[in-house]
Amino acid sequence: MVKSVATATALSGASVVITHRVSPVFQREYEAWLNEIGPLCRSSEGVLDWHIIRPVAGYTDTYSVMIRYQTEQHLKQWLDSPVRKTLIAKVSHLLVGEDSYQVNSGLDFLFMQGTQLPAKPPVRWKQFLLTWSAIFPLVSVLPLLVVPLLDAGGLPHSRVLHTFVVTAVVVALMVYVVMPRYTRLVWHWLHG
């Protein structure tokens, strides 16, 4: 697999998605390795959070590790660190393919979907327009659907609770459903 890096200024936050394909017969060993590298990564300078998406049995053999850092410099320090390189070498025999990762700044990952990854994220004004045009209909319609469901479920009628649930649904839809499809639909405009 090829490493693809979309860079940003050292002052902005940065995230990395690391993907490892692991044969089911080696997943127990890989999980032990995650328990070794996880604490080291989480204690590295500038780390904000670390999440793992594990494979679904019978469907995929891919682990995705998402790490967010305060700055791109912090992230690069971890990726290039001797500790990480040693641990990657230790697990390489368990992987199908190479250690593969993609670095993005801020919310750029929302706009960098698919296999045609450009050298840099789209300009901010296009990101703004695309995000706004996706969020506006969601925040206009979802409260009309979600709030009655919450009320029917017997939950207390609370503006804070309703806002909490509606925004969680909006963000989930944006990240997992809307933006991957929307960015593919307007790819040429977004990156042109």
mmCIF file of all heavy atoms in Angstrom, residues 116-152:
data_model
loop_
_atom_site.group_PDB
_atom_site.id
_atom_site.type_symbol
_atom_site.label_atom_id
_atom_site.label_comp_id
_atom_site.label_asym_id
_atom_site.label_seq_id
_atom_site.Cartn_x
_atom_site.Cartn_y
_atom_site.Cartn_z
ATOM 1 N N GLN A 116 -8.941 8.605 -5.209
ATOM 2 C CA GLN A 116 -8.271 9.641 -5.979
ATOM 3 C C GLN A 116 -7.734 10.727 -5.067
ATOM 4 O O GLN A 116 -7.999 11.890 -5.248
ATOM 5 C CB GLN A 116 -9.259 10.300 -6.942
ATOM 6 C CG GLN A 116 -9.921 9.369 -7.902
ATOM 7 C CD GLN A 116 -10.962 10.137 -8.685
ATOM 8 O OE1 GLN A 116 -11.973 10.553 -8.156
ATOM 9 N NE2 GLN A 116 -10.712 10.345 -9.952
ATOM 10 N N LEU A 117 -6.960 10.383 -4.059
ATOM 11 C CA LEU A 117 -6.512 11.379 -3.108
ATOM 12 C C LEU A 117 -5.599 12.399 -3.771
ATOM 13 O O LEU A 117 -4.586 12.043 -4.353
ATOM 14 C CB LEU A 117 -5.776 10.716 -1.942
ATOM 15 C CG LEU A 117 -6.662 9.884 -1.037
ATOM 16 C CD1 LEU A 117 -5.815 9.159 -0.019
ATOM 17 C CD2 LEU A 117 -7.701 10.718 -0.359
ATOM 18 N N PRO A 118 -5.963 13.691 -3.695
ATOM 19 C CA PRO A 118 -5.110 14.720 -4.271
ATOM 20 C C PRO A 118 -3.936 15.015 -3.351
ATOM 21 O O PRO A 118 -3.888 14.557 -2.226
ATOM 22 C CB PRO A 118 -6.048 15.922 -4.358
ATOM 23 C CG PRO A 118 -7.005 15.719 -3.243
ATOM 24 C CD PRO A 118 -7.185 14.212 -3.119
ATOM 25 N N ALA A 119 -3.010 15.817 -3.842
ATOM 26 C CA ALA A 119 -1.830 16.158 -3.063
ATOM 27 C C ALA A 119 -2.170 17.038 -1.871
ATOM 28 O O ALA A 119 -1.457 17.065 -0.894
ATOM 29 C CB ALA A 119 -0.812 16.851 -3.951
ATOM 30 N N LYS A 120 -3.265 17.796 -1.939
ATOM 31 C CA LYS A 120 -3.643 18.676 -0.839
ATOM 32 C C LYS A 120 -5.157 18.747 -0.743
ATOM 33 O O LYS A 120 -5.868 18.474 -1.707
ATOM 34 C CB LYS A 120 -3.047 20.067 -1.037
ATOM 35 C CG LYS A 120 -3.514 20.755 -2.295
ATOM 36 C CD LYS A 120 -2.857 22.109 -2.442
ATOM 37 C CE LYS A 120 -3.429 22.796 -3.673
ATOM 38 N NZ LYS A 120 -3.031 24.168 -3.770
ATOM 39 N N PRO A 121 -5.656 19.139 0.447
ATOM 40 C CA PRO A 121 -7.102 19.255 0.603
ATOM 41 C C PRO A 121 -7.636 20.427 -0.218
ATOM 42 O O PRO A 121 -6.885 21.312 -0.602
ATOM 43 C CB PRO A 121 -7.277 19.501 2.102
ATOM 44 C CG PRO A 121 -5.960 19.913 2.614
ATOM 45 C CD PRO A 121 -4.926 19.399 1.668
ATOM 46 N N PRO A 122 -8.946 20.443 -0.472
ATOM 47 C CA PRO A 122 -9.525 21.538 -1.248
ATOM 48 C C PRO A 122 -9.437 22.858 -0.486
ATOM 49 O O PRO A 122 -9.263 22.877 0.732
ATOM 50 C CB PRO A 122 -10.977 21.110 -1.445
ATOM 51 C CG PRO A 122 -11.231 20.049 -0.458
ATOM 52 C CD PRO A 122 -9.918 19.447 -0.093
ATOM 53 N N VAL A 123 -9.611 23.961 -1.213
ATOM 54 C CA VAL A 123 -9.569 25.279 -0.583
ATOM 55 C C VAL A 123 -10.689 25.386 0.450
ATOM 56 O O VAL A 123 -11.744 24.758 0.319
ATOM 57 C CB VAL A 123 -9.654 26.403 -1.630
ATOM 58 C CG1 VAL A 123 -8.430 26.415 -2.518
ATOM 59 C CG2 VAL A 123 -10.922 26.296 -2.461
ATOM 60 N N ARG A 124 -10.445 26.206 1.476
ATOM 61 C CA ARG A 124 -11.371 26.298 2.609
ATOM 62 C C ARG A 124 -12.756 26.794 2.206
ATOM 63 O O ARG A 124 -13.752 26.335 2.753
ATOM 64 C CB ARG A 124 -10.792 27.198 3.701
ATOM 65 C CG ARG A 124 -9.567 26.629 4.360
ATOM 66 C CD ARG A 124 -9.908 25.477 5.248
ATOM 67 N NE ARG A 124 -8.703 24.981 5.895
ATOM 68 C CZ ARG A 124 -8.571 23.762 6.353
ATOM 69 N NH1 ARG A 124 -9.557 22.906 6.263
ATOM 70 N NH2 ARG A 124 -7.460 23.374 6.909
ATOM 71 N N TRP A 125 -12.865 27.733 1.270
ATOM 72 C CA TRP A 125 -14.192 28.253 0.934
ATOM 73 C C TRP A 125 -15.047 27.175 0.296
ATOM 74 O O TRP A 125 -16.265 27.140 0.499
ATOM 75 C CB TRP A 125 -14.105 29.519 0.080
ATOM 76 C CG TRP A 125 -13.604 29.359 -1.325
ATOM 77 C CD1 TRP A 125 -12.321 29.488 -1.751
ATOM 78 C CD2 TRP A 125 -14.382 29.042 -2.480
ATOM 79 N NE1 TRP A 125 -12.246 29.264 -3.098
ATOM 80 C CE2 TRP A 125 -13.498 28.995 -3.583
ATOM 81 C CE3 TRP A 125 -15.729 28.798 -2.705
ATOM 82 C CZ2 TRP A 125 -13.930 28.710 -4.871
ATOM 83 C CZ3 TRP A 125 -16.155 28.527 -3.989
ATOM 84 C CH2 TRP A 125 -15.254 28.482 -5.063
ATOM 85 N N LYS A 126 -14.432 26.252 -0.455
ATOM 86 C CA LYS A 126 -15.203 25.141 -1.026
ATOM 87 C C LYS A 126 -15.603 24.160 0.072
ATOM 88 O O LYS A 126 -16.713 23.612 0.058
ATOM 89 C CB LYS A 126 -14.403 24.438 -2.122
ATOM 90 C CG LYS A 126 -14.282 25.260 -3.394
ATOM 91 C CD LYS A 126 -13.588 24.482 -4.488
ATOM 92 C CE LYS A 126 -13.496 25.292 -5.773
ATOM 93 N NZ LYS A 126 -12.880 24.522 -6.870
ATOM 94 N N GLN A 127 -14.712 23.926 1.050
ATOM 95 C CA GLN A 127 -15.062 23.074 2.182
ATOM 96 C C GLN A 127 -16.237 23.683 2.948
ATOM 97 O O GLN A 127 -17.164 22.976 3.346
ATOM 98 C CB GLN A 127 -13.858 22.897 3.119
ATOM 99 C CG GLN A 127 -12.728 22.098 2.511
ATOM 100 C CD GLN A 127 -11.595 21.894 3.495
ATOM 101 O OE1 GLN A 127 -11.807 21.802 4.696
ATOM 102 N NE2 GLN A 127 -10.376 21.816 2.981
ATOM 103 N N PHE A 128 -16.188 24.997 3.146
ATOM 104 C CA PHE A 128 -17.266 25.697 3.844
ATOM 105 C C PHE A 128 -18.600 25.512 3.127
ATOM 106 O O PHE A 128 -19.604 25.125 3.729
ATOM 107 C CB PHE A 128 -16.931 27.194 3.977
ATOM 108 C CG PHE A 128 -18.101 28.034 4.390
ATOM 109 C CD1 PHE A 128 -18.487 28.101 5.717
ATOM 110 C CD2 PHE A 128 -18.820 28.752 3.442
ATOM 111 C CE1 PHE A 128 -19.580 28.873 6.097
ATOM 112 C CE2 PHE A 128 -19.912 29.527 3.814
ATOM 113 C CZ PHE A 128 -20.288 29.587 5.145
ATOM 114 N N LEU A 129 -18.631 25.808 1.819
ATOM 115 C CA LEU A 129 -19.875 25.705 1.053
ATOM 116 C C LEU A 129 -20.420 24.282 1.037
ATOM 117 O O LEU A 129 -21.629 24.057 1.196
ATOM 118 C CB LEU A 129 -19.669 26.203 -0.380
ATOM 119 C CG LEU A 129 -19.520 27.710 -0.561
ATOM 120 C CD1 LEU A 129 -19.250 28.042 -2.029
ATOM 121 C CD2 LEU A 129 -20.767 28.439 -0.073
ATOM 122 N N LEU A 130 -19.530 23.315 0.845
ATOM 123 C CA LEU A 130 -19.963 21.924 0.796
ATOM 124 C C LEU A 130 -20.521 21.479 2.151
ATOM 125 O O LEU A 130 -21.584 20.857 2.223
ATOM 126 C CB LEU A 130 -18.791 21.023 0.380
ATOM 127 C CG LEU A 130 -19.167 19.598 0.033
ATOM 128 C CD1 LEU A 130 -19.949 19.559 -1.269
ATOM 129 C CD2 LEU A 130 -17.923 18.740 -0.094
ATOM 130 N N THR A 131 -19.822 21.822 3.229
ATOM 131 C CA THR A 131 -20.273 21.437 4.570
ATOM 132 C C THR A 131 -21.595 22.113 4.903
ATOM 133 O O THR A 131 -22.527 21.467 5.406
ATOM 134 C CB THR A 131 -19.207 21.801 5.619
ATOM 135 O OG1 THR A 131 -17.970 21.192 5.254
ATOM 136 C CG2 THR A 131 -19.610 21.328 7.000
ATOM 137 N N TRP A 132 -21.691 23.386 4.630
ATOM 138 C CA TRP A 132 -22.913 24.134 4.911
ATOM 139 C C TRP A 132 -24.088 23.561 4.128
ATOM 140 O O TRP A 132 -25.177 23.353 4.665
ATOM 141 C CB TRP A 132 -22.691 25.599 4.586
ATOM 142 C CG TRP A 132 -23.826 26.524 4.928
ATOM 143 C CD1 TRP A 132 -24.763 26.368 5.913
ATOM 144 C CD2 TRP A 132 -24.122 27.751 4.284
ATOM 145 N NE1 TRP A 132 -25.622 27.435 5.916
ATOM 146 C CE2 TRP A 132 -25.248 28.309 4.931
ATOM 147 C CE3 TRP A 132 -23.546 28.451 3.237
ATOM 148 C CZ2 TRP A 132 -25.809 29.521 4.545
ATOM 149 C CZ3 TRP A 132 -24.101 29.666 2.868
ATOM 150 C CH2 TRP A 132 -25.226 30.187 3.514
ATOM 151 N N SER A 133 -23.870 23.268 2.858
ATOM 152 C CA SER A 133 -24.964 22.743 2.041
ATOM 153 C C SER A 133 -25.384 21.341 2.468
ATOM 154 O O SER A 133 -26.500 20.911 2.182
ATOM 155 C CB SER A 133 -24.578 22.759 0.557
ATOM 156 O OG SER A 133 -23.559 21.822 0.284
ATOM 157 N N ALA A 134 -24.517 20.621 3.153
ATOM 158 C CA ALA A 134 -24.875 19.291 3.667
ATOM 159 C C ALA A 134 -25.531 19.382 5.046
ATOM 160 O O ALA A 134 -26.483 18.659 5.342
ATOM 161 C CB ALA A 134 -23.638 18.400 3.725
ATOM 162 N N ILE A 135 -25.017 20.276 5.886
ATOM 163 C CA ILE A 135 -25.539 20.379 7.258
ATOM 164 C C ILE A 135 -26.905 21.059 7.299
ATOM 165 O O ILE A 135 -27.783 20.653 8.064
ATOM 166 C CB ILE A 135 -24.533 21.114 8.172
ATOM 167 C CG1 ILE A 135 -23.347 20.190 8.463
ATOM 168 C CG2 ILE A 135 -25.178 21.563 9.472
ATOM 169 C CD1 ILE A 135 -22.283 20.804 9.333
ATOM 170 N N PHE A 136 -27.114 22.091 6.488
ATOM 171 C CA PHE A 136 -28.380 22.840 6.543
ATOM 172 C C PHE A 136 -29.613 21.946 6.429
ATOM 173 O O PHE A 136 -30.507 22.007 7.280
ATOM 174 C CB PHE A 136 -28.405 23.955 5.491
ATOM 175 C CG PHE A 136 -29.693 24.715 5.490
ATOM 176 C CD1 PHE A 136 -29.955 25.646 6.493
ATOM 177 C CD2 PHE A 136 -30.658 24.478 4.529
ATOM 178 C CE1 PHE A 136 -31.150 26.333 6.509
ATOM 179 C CE2 PHE A 136 -31.860 25.173 4.542
ATOM 180 C CZ PHE A 136 -32.114 26.098 5.535
ATOM 181 N N PRO A 137 -29.698 21.072 5.410
ATOM 182 C CA PRO A 137 -30.898 20.227 5.345
ATOM 183 C C PRO A 137 -30.999 19.245 6.519
ATOM 184 O O PRO A 137 -32.101 18.955 6.988
ATOM 185 C CB PRO A 137 -30.756 19.469 4.020
ATOM 186 C CG PRO A 137 -29.477 19.868 3.412
ATOM 187 C CD PRO A 137 -28.834 20.903 4.246
ATOM 188 N N LEU A 138 -29.855 18.776 6.991
ATOM 189 C CA LEU A 138 -29.890 17.833 8.117
ATOM 190 C C LEU A 138 -30.425 18.495 9.379
ATOM 191 O O LEU A 138 -31.290 17.928 10.064
ATOM 192 C CB LEU A 138 -28.500 17.254 8.376
ATOM 193 C CG LEU A 138 -27.944 16.291 7.332
ATOM 194 C CD1 LEU A 138 -26.511 15.890 7.665
ATOM 195 C CD2 LEU A 138 -28.821 15.053 7.214
ATOM 196 N N VAL A 139 -29.914 19.695 9.707
ATOM 197 C CA VAL A 139 -30.387 20.348 10.937
ATOM 198 C C VAL A 139 -31.795 20.909 10.777
ATOM 199 O O VAL A 139 -32.463 21.198 11.770
ATOM 200 C CB VAL A 139 -29.410 21.441 11.435
ATOM 201 C CG1 VAL A 139 -28.063 20.854 11.781
ATOM 202 C CG2 VAL A 139 -29.279 22.568 10.455
ATOM 203 N N SER A 140 -32.262 21.050 9.553
ATOM 204 C CA SER A 140 -33.633 21.513 9.322
ATOM 205 C C SER A 140 -34.647 20.380 9.469
ATOM 206 O O SER A 140 -35.744 20.585 9.992
ATOM 207 C CB SER A 140 -33.768 22.116 7.919
ATOM 208 O OG SER A 140 -32.924 23.229 7.780
ATOM 209 N N VAL A 141 -34.276 19.182 9.026
ATOM 210 C CA VAL A 141 -35.215 18.060 8.990
ATOM 211 C C VAL A 141 -35.087 17.123 10.195
ATOM 212 O O VAL A 141 -36.102 16.658 10.735
ATOM 213 C CB VAL A 141 -35.036 17.261 7.674
ATOM 214 C CG1 VAL A 141 -35.872 16.013 7.667
ATOM 215 C CG2 VAL A 141 -35.373 18.140 6.483
ATOM 216 N N LEU A 142 -33.877 16.834 10.627
ATOM 217 C CA LEU A 142 -33.692 15.829 11.684
ATOM 218 C C LEU A 142 -34.422 16.131 12.989
ATOM 219 O O LEU A 142 -34.982 15.211 13.591
ATOM 220 C CB LEU A 142 -32.207 15.587 11.942
ATOM 221 C CG LEU A 142 -31.556 14.643 10.946
ATOM 222 C CD1 LEU A 142 -30.067 14.531 11.187
ATOM 223 C CD2 LEU A 142 -32.185 13.269 11.009
ATOM 224 N N PRO A 143 -34.445 17.380 13.467
ATOM 225 C CA PRO A 143 -35.215 17.614 14.701
ATOM 226 C C PRO A 143 -36.689 17.228 14.554
ATOM 227 O O PRO A 143 -37.311 16.753 15.513
ATOM 228 C CB PRO A 143 -35.056 19.120 14.939
ATOM 229 C CG PRO A 143 -33.782 19.472 14.266
ATOM 230 C CD PRO A 143 -33.719 18.574 13.054
ATOM 231 N N LEU A 144 -37.248 17.409 13.350
ATOM 232 C CA LEU A 144 -38.645 17.056 13.121
ATOM 233 C C LEU A 144 -38.877 15.548 13.218
ATOM 234 O O LEU A 144 -39.980 15.096 13.518
ATOM 235 C CB LEU A 144 -39.096 17.555 11.747
ATOM 236 C CG LEU A 144 -38.968 19.067 11.504
ATOM 237 C CD1 LEU A 144 -39.299 19.399 10.053
ATOM 238 C CD2 LEU A 144 -39.860 19.837 12.468
ATOM 239 N N LEU A 145 -37.823 14.773 12.974
ATOM 240 C CA LEU A 145 -37.929 13.313 13.048
ATOM 241 C C LEU A 145 -37.479 12.765 14.394
ATOM 242 O O LEU A 145 -38.108 11.866 14.953
ATOM 243 C CB LEU A 145 -37.081 12.687 11.935
ATOM 244 C CG LEU A 145 -37.404 13.091 10.495
ATOM 245 C CD1 LEU A 145 -36.351 12.543 9.546
ATOM 246 C CD2 LEU A 145 -38.790 12.608 10.123
ATOM 247 N N VAL A 146 -36.378 13.302 14.921
ATOM 248 C CA VAL A 146 -35.757 12.742 16.129
ATOM 249 C C VAL A 146 -36.506 13.128 17.403
ATOM 250 O O VAL A 146 -36.735 12.288 18.276
ATOM 251 C CB VAL A 146 -34.272 13.166 16.210
ATOM 252 C CG1 VAL A 146 -33.650 12.757 17.537
ATOM 253 C CG2 VAL A 146 -33.488 12.562 15.050
ATOM 254 N N VAL A 147 -36.895 14.393 17.540
ATOM 255 C CA VAL A 147 -37.543 14.857 18.771
ATOM 256 C C VAL A 147 -38.830 14.081 19.057
ATOM 257 O O VAL A 147 -39.031 13.623 20.191
ATOM 258 C CB VAL A 147 -37.761 16.393 18.747
ATOM 259 C CG1 VAL A 147 -38.619 16.841 19.912
ATOM 260 C CG2 VAL A 147 -36.410 17.108 18.754
ATOM 261 N N PRO A 148 -39.730 13.878 18.083
ATOM 262 C CA PRO A 148 -40.921 13.062 18.387
ATOM 263 C C PRO A 148 -40.576 11.631 18.814
ATOM 264 O O PRO A 148 -41.255 11.051 19.668
ATOM 265 C CB PRO A 148 -41.701 13.064 17.071
ATOM 266 C CG PRO A 148 -41.266 14.297 16.359
ATOM 267 C CD PRO A 148 -39.824 14.480 16.740
ATOM 268 N N LEU A 149 -39.505 11.068 18.239
ATOM 269 C CA LEU A 149 -39.082 9.721 18.659
ATOM 270 C C LEU A 149 -38.599 9.722 20.106
ATOM 271 O O LEU A 149 -38.895 8.793 20.870
ATOM 272 C CB LEU A 149 -37.978 9.197 17.738
ATOM 273 C CG LEU A 149 -38.393 8.816 16.320
ATOM 274 C CD1 LEU A 149 -37.169 8.463 15.478
ATOM 275 C CD2 LEU A 149 -39.377 7.657 16.347
ATOM 276 N N LEU A 150 -37.842 10.751 20.479
ATOM 277 C CA LEU A 150 -37.371 10.852 21.865
ATOM 278 C C LEU A 150 -38.537 11.017 22.823
ATOM 279 O O LEU A 150 -38.582 10.380 23.885
ATOM 280 C CB LEU A 150 -36.394 12.022 22.013
ATOM 281 C CG LEU A 150 -35.067 11.911 21.269
ATOM 282 C CD1 LEU A 150 -34.270 13.199 21.400
ATOM 283 C CD2 LEU A 150 -34.265 10.728 21.780
ATOM 284 N N ASP A 151 -39.495 11.858 22.444
ATOM 285 C CA ASP A 151 -40.678 12.067 23.284
ATOM 286 C C ASP A 151 -41.506 10.787 23.397
ATOM 287 O O ASP A 151 -41.967 10.427 24.478
ATOM 288 C CB ASP A 151 -41.537 13.211 22.738
ATOM 289 C CG ASP A 151 -40.854 14.573 22.865
ATOM 290 O OD1 ASP A 151 -39.893 14.693 23.656
ATOM 291 O OD2 ASP A 151 -41.274 15.514 22.155
ATOM 292 N N ALA A 152 -41.654 10.085 22.275
ATOM 293 C CA ALA A 152 -42.422 8.827 22.285
ATOM 294 C C ALA A 152 -41.713 7.756 23.093
ATOM 295 O O ALA A 152 -42.358 6.860 23.645
ATOM 296 C CB ALA A 152 -42.647 8.335 20.851
#
